[in-house]
Amino acid sequence: MAAAMKVVCMMFLVALITLIFDTHHAHGAISADTQKLIDEANMNGPYLGLLIPNLFEMNPLLQHPNYTSTNFTIDIAGRRFRFGKIVEKNVILVMTGLSMINAGITSQLLLTLFKIEGVVHYGIAGNANPSLHIGFVTIPQYWSHSALWSWQRYGYGPSDELPLEPNGDYTRTIGYIKFADYAENVTACNSHDNLLNNVWFQPEEVFPVDGTPEQRQHAFWIPVDPLYFNISKSLEDMELENCVNATTCLDETPRVVQVHGGTSAGIYVDNAAYRSFIYNEFNVSPVDMESAAVALICMQQRVPFIIIRALSDLAGGGSAESNEIDTFISLASNNSVNVVVEFIKRLVAAPLVSDH
């Protein structure tokens, strides 16, 4: 009887542990089966990780003749990691989804779970640079997150210290935008002012893997990998698509251009005044909602990266051509994919020397 009771107790204990284990995994932990797949995948690594915002930017790569799928995928935390090859380079493709937070989460998952030698992030973007045109593919040397702000109270100005500034939390060194400078009709306001006052741009707090935990550093401009950027210089000779179809073509032939900087925020910019401000203030060309998150994660994890963004519209528009994202989105997506594939070809052929 005692032996039977021991067996029953053991069976109950095993069932309880299994229930707890399964419940725990239902709340976000990685299951044993998924971990086995990750371990299996990493035996074939390292990989070049390709982070892609949306399916309309991923599908042209999935259909590209230089991409070969292994038909092996791993689904984790709502993301699907697709495994394949581009010109004999092992790659992992994953869609981030829209926005900085989705891009950051997906980037960290990729770098935490898999053996990644480098990251390529690509897609389409708005354009803040009036000298560039739709269909151009930009490769910035630096990226920034331009929506981390200290919003100053009304009546204060550039000479007034920001809250917590003495503690190193906030700074006035990067720059600010004064909303009153963009008022169109100020005749009814004697002071020509605006209650929204000033927004000061702030650097991100960063915690590099080779730093001391909980000891923060700060970064506003994140440089891409110098070797990757040097290789991308040779892409400026590429021929890019110019026409959506037989009757719809661009006036300016697209080309690949290296530019100083790009910027990201959780904002879809369709405003000419703000576009002009960030171009003049920060010398940025592509404007998007994900790239800075990828840059910040890669920088903190010390993984080399590059970001390639094709221009789909002039943010804020003006001319008939400048804001037709619905018309030229497929052309811009195809151009970005073609540049990414060519970059990987030249990366594979490059000497194995890097400054990272």
Side-chain angles (χ1 to χ4, degrees), residues 57-349:
E57 294 154 315
M58 179 185 286
N59 285 334
L61 181 56
L62 295 177
Q63 298 161 10
H64 197 281
N66 287 119
Y67 173 72
T68 303
S69 172
T70 62
N71 296 317
F72 179 57
T73 63
I74 303 178
D75 293 345
I76 304 170
R79 273 72 179 174
R80 172 160 294 173
F81 296 86
R82 303 168 183 262
F83 295 78
K85 285 181 179 289
I86 297 177
V87 290
E88 301 309 312
K89 172 70 72 175
N90 289 332
V91 296
I92 301 176
L93 279 57
V94 58
M95 190 188 85
T96 65
L98 190 71
S99 84
M100 292 279 290
I101 189 168
N102 277 324
I105 290 170
T106 310
S107 300
Q108 190 64 65
L109 281 170
L110 175 73
L111 299 185
T112 298
L113 298 175
F114 300 104
K115 291 182 178 178
I116 302 297
E117 66 181 57
V119 166
V120 178
H121 175 55
Y122 79 88
I124 65 169
N127 174 33
N129 187 339
S131 68
L132 303 181
H133 301 276
I134 288 177
F136 279 42
V137 176
T138 58
I139 305 177
Q141 188 171 10
Y142 301 94
W143 278 90
S144 67
H145 175 207
S146 52
L148 184 59
W149 297 343
S150 176
W151 205 316
Q152 202 169 29
R153 72 172 60 184
Y154 178 70
Y156 285 21
S159 62
D160 294 300
E161 204 170 64
L162 300 174
L164 302 179
E165 187 176 347
N167 299 335
D169 292 285
Y170 298 103
T171 178
R172 286 171 289 156
T173 60
I174 295 172
Y176 71 100
I177 181 170
K178 183 177 179 63
F179 286 95
D181 291 343
Y182 295 89
E184 186 179 56
N185 183 1
V186 295
T187 57
C189 180
N190 292 331
S191 63
H192 291 183
D193 210 344
N194 188 304
L195 292 174
L196 293 174
N197 202 27
N198 307 319
V199 162
W200 292 86
F201 294 87
Q202 301 298 317
E204 286 276 1
E205 286 188 357
V206 295
F207 299 88
V209 292
D210 52 3
T212 302
E214 298 182 348
Q215 288 191 8
R216 62 183 178 175
Q217 301 176 30
H218 290 90
F220 185 74
W221 291 112
I222 312 301
V224 304
D225 180 74
L227 172 64
Y228 287 6
F229 191 69
N230 186 54
I231 291 172
S232 73
K233 174 76 176 171
S234 68
L235 300 172
E236 293 183 341
D237 61 2
M238 284 187 63
E239 292 186 8
L240 302 178
E241 291 184 17
N242 190 49
C243 297
V244 177
N245 52 46
T247 59
T248 307
C249 294
L250 295 168
D251 295 332
E252 187 81 17
T253 301
R255 52 192 174 87
V256 181
V257 290
Q258 288 187 322
V259 296
H260 171 266
T263 195
S264 307
I267 304 165
Y268 184 93
V269 178
D270 191 21
N271 183 276
Y274 189 69
R275 177 197 74 217
S276 297
F277 168 79
I278 57 175
Y279 174 70
N280 293 325
E281 183 76 12
F282 300 122
N283 190 22
V284 294
S285 296
V287 180
D288 68 28
M289 301 175 70
E290 297 86 23
S291 293
V294 175
L296 283 159
I297 297 298
C298 288
M299 183 272 287
Q300 293 183 83
Q301 298 297 308
R302 302 305 192 206
V303 174
F305 74 96
I306 195 166
I307 295 170
I308 296 170
R309 286 281 187 162
L311 304 179
S312 60
D313 63 283
L314 181 63
S319 69
E321 176 194 288
S322 62
N323 211 23
E324 295 187 18
I325 185 171
D326 291 338
T327 301
F328 295 105
I329 191 171
S330 62
L331 182 147
S333 298
N334 289 338
N335 279 346
S336 68
V337 166
N338 288 333
V339 172
V340 166
V341 170
E342 188 61 30
F343 169 78
I344 294 173
K345 286 182 181 179
R346 300 188 190 192
L347 176 64
V348 170

